[in-house]
Amino acid sequence: HGHRYGTRVVHKNMIRGFEITDLKELFEHDRRMTRELIGDHATPYDEDWLRKLTAPNRERYRSYNTLVAADTDNHPIGFAILRIHKRALQLPHRARRGHFVDIFFLSVAPGHQRQGIGSRLIDDAERWAAAQDAVELRLAVMDSNTDAIRFYERNGFEEIGLMRDYPEDGVLSHRMRRRCNPSLLDALDRGMP
């Protein structure tokens, strides 16, 4: 099932699309992350809204995509919720690709952290972004979440600004971006996966 490195067994987890049976676990990830980062007074995402944006036949939320990291039993252990923004960025060398993808939710279950799962979710998010003609990934991370800031920096993100009062009043967040790999964009231009 997995490979042994030292005393830890690293399993071959997969990244797949969202399935309706993943909703309960997604709600739990959202509640846990909100509680850990903001506290008990904060409100997690609205469950009805999460249900709508992850529905397989969603019409209104077509700009969203949810990636799931699953263990060898296909049980969800991580999520990345993405949204394509079709806006023109000033990039003269790729003027036709002015879009970016926002990673507005990234979570890996505590027992599965520090095993590369978050990095794999980001890499798959980049592949999805490139397939949508996006040139970069963006996200916001709270200033108090220094572990996440370092994680994103290790994964090629750079700070592009600060956001005050986000995700709620009195909170300072870093706006970060990672440019999509040019060779990935070129491969897609040539019709390669």
Side-chain angles (χ1 to χ4, degrees):
H1 284 290
H3 300 287
R4 188 169 296 278
Y5 294 100
T7 57
R8 176 191 281 175
V9 175
V10 179
H11 293 281
K12 295 281 187 194
N13 301 307
M14 69 173 159
I15 307 297
R16 61 169 172 76
F18 188 83
E19 299 169 358
I20 198 70
T21 54
D22 299 330
L23 267 174
K24 182 180 175 203
E25 196 66 33
L26 175 61
F27 296 156
E28 183 55 38
H29 275 246
D30 181 39
R31 285 190 293 271
R32 185 190 70 251
M33 193 165 70
T34 301
R35 188 174 50 252
E36 288 173 1
L37 294 177
I38 303 175
D40 291 330
H41 68 281
T43 306
Y45 287 119
D46 178 69
E47 289 185 5
D48 189 49
W49 179 70
L50 285 174
R51 190 175 287 111
K52 288 176 184 174
L53 72 88
T54 56
N57 58 350
R58 63 191 177 277
E59 186 62 31
R60 184 172 174 196
Y61 297 99
R62 282 185 308 213
S63 61
Y64 290 86
N65 186 32
T66 303
L67 301 176
V68 178
D71 64 15
T72 54
D73 295 324
N74 201 28
H75 179 77
I77 55 175
F79 295 93
I81 301 178
L82 317 171
R83 182 176 183 203
I84 180 80
H85 292 269
K86 299 206 174 206
R87 298 187 182 154
L89 299 174
Q90 298 303 315
L91 296 170
H93 62 286
R94 285 200 182 272
R96 69 180 187 79
R97 290 184 194 262
H99 315 316
F100 68 92
V101 166
D102 222 349
I103 301 175
F104 76 88
F105 184 88
L106 182 74
S107 173
V108 175
H112 297 277
Q113 293 174 355
R114 302 196 191 295
Q115 297 177 26
I117 297 166
S119 297
R120 288 191 53 211
L121 283 165
I122 289 171
D123 290 343
D124 274 41
E126 179 184 20
R127 280 190 278 286
W128 184 78
Q132 308 304 308
D133 282 338
V135 293
E136 65 186 30
L137 299 172
R138 293 187 184 181
L139 55 83
V141 59
M142 293 171 35
D143 185 61
S144 60
N145 196 352
T146 55
D147 287 344
I149 292 169
R150 285 193 300 275
F151 165 77
Y152 290 123
E153 287 171 341
R154 283 192 312 273
N155 278 277
F157 284 84
E158 62 182 352
E159 185 173 314
I160 57 173
L162 294 174
M163 301 169 63
R164 298 198 182 288
D165 300 321
Y166 183 84
E168 64 178 31
D169 289 348
V171 177
L172 179 67
S173 291
H174 298 260
R175 190 71 170 144
M176 302 180 82
R177 77 170 169 212
R178 169 176 150 173
R179 295 198 187 275
C180 290
N181 182 331
S183 62
L184 179 61
L185 297 173
D186 292 340
L188 286 166
D189 286 343
R190 292 189 309 271
M192 300 169 70

